[in-house]
Amino acid sequence: MITRCPLCGGNVKVPDDALPGEIIEHSCGAVLEVHVNDGGLVLKLAEIGEDWGE
């Protein structure tokens, strides 16, 4: 699936087996998170903050 980067508007290839919550890095430097909207996958800028590993 090809969709648009919400930051730069460039094309982003999303793997067919992508799952909600999956993180995809775009060539513009944006870190994107896969979301489901109306049955389809959309990309939103990922919120990176807390370190869940600690």
Side-chain angles (χ1 to χ4, degrees):
M1 176 179 118
I2 302 288
T3 187
R4 297 268 179 200
C5 173
L7 184 63
C8 72
N11 290 335
V12 180
K13 182 174 182 179
V14 179
D16 292 335
D17 59 350
L19 299 172
E22 191 166 325
I23 299 294
I24 296 174
E25 293 185 32
H26 188 239
S27 61
C28 71
V31 178
L32 308 169
E33 184 174 356
V34 177
H35 289 266
V36 175
N37 187 13
D38 293 330
L41 297 178
V42 295
L43 297 175
K44 296 182 180 178
L45 292 174
E47 295 181 21
I48 298 175
E50 294 185 36
D51 183 2
W52 294 91
E54 294 185 10

